[in-house]
Amino acid sequence: MIVLQGSNTDRSKNRYLAHDGLPSGCRLVYNAAMDIPSALLYSILSAIAEAALAPAPDPQMAYEGQALSRSLPDEARQGVMQPPTGDGFVTISGRELPLAPTAQIRSRQNLIVMPMQIQNPVEVVYITDASGAIYRVWMLTPGEASVSRPR
């Protein structure tokens, strides 16, 4: 709301202008400025509301565009790994396989992840050791998953 007050009777060209650029008989009034605590509170509440309404990004896909190309072993087999149950076994393509004590699971960004961090079925390649236990697993990006490998 803008309010101008004053008289328009002074029509001379040489009228005195106040520091705000209005003739001396006029007063310009804006809406009252928000004090800092209310402005801060409004900013915090609007940021929380925006974050709550925004869809959550898939954390494993967040940095896929920044992932470096990696060379996966030729002897690795491909399959879909279900989220591990925590009993030392993983299910890949319907087969329950033991995890080796030194097993490593690598994310799409080639970072080591703990088995309990995997919450959804994921396309992987894996290598087994001499006893048949899984000791290396790589989660695949869509580009890597399109490459044909033995299952």
Side-chain angles (χ1 to χ4, degrees):
M1 168 173 74
I2 298 175
V3 176
L4 294 176
Q5 294 178 343
S7 65
N8 290 335
T9 58
D10 184 16
R11 303 246 183 234
S12 67
K13 292 184 181 182
N14 295 331
R15 60 184 161 189
Y16 172 73
L17 296 178
H19 63 75
D20 56 2
L22 295 173
S24 59
C26 294
R27 181 177 67 122
L28 184 63
V29 177
Y30 294 100
N31 283 341
M34 293 177 98
D35 55 339
I36 292 179
S38 348
L40 208 64
L41 181 63
Y42 175 77
S43 296
I44 292 170
L45 290 176
S46 64
I48 290 171
E50 184 178 331
L53 295 175
D58 182 9
Q60 294 188 0
M61 298 295 281
Y63 300 105
E64 187 173 317
Q66 299 174 0
L68 299 174
S69 64
R70 55 187 176 176
S71 59
L72 300 171
D74 293 332
E75 69 272 9
R77 300 175 64 101
Q78 189 169 348
V80 177
M81 183 173 76
Q82 300 300 318
T85 57
D87 60 357
F89 289 86
V90 291
T91 304
I92 298 179
S93 298
R95 292 181 25 205
E96 190 171 88
L97 302 166
L99 276 175
T102 58
Q104 285 185 2
I105 300 175
R106 299 259 175 186
S107 70
R108 291 178 174 106
Q109 296 81 34
N110 216 29
L111 301 173
I112 295 176
V113 296
M114 303 276 78
M116 291 299 118
Q117 290 178 291
I118 302 167
Q119 300 296 316
N120 300 315
V122 63
E123 189 82 23
V124 298
V125 294
Y126 62 96
I127 298 177
T128 58
D129 62 10
S131 67
I134 296 196
Y135 80 104
R136 296 289 183 268
V137 177
W138 291 269
M139 293 183 215
L140 299 177
T141 63
E144 292 169 335
S146 65
V147 175
S148 172
R149 294 182 177 278
R151 292 197 172 252

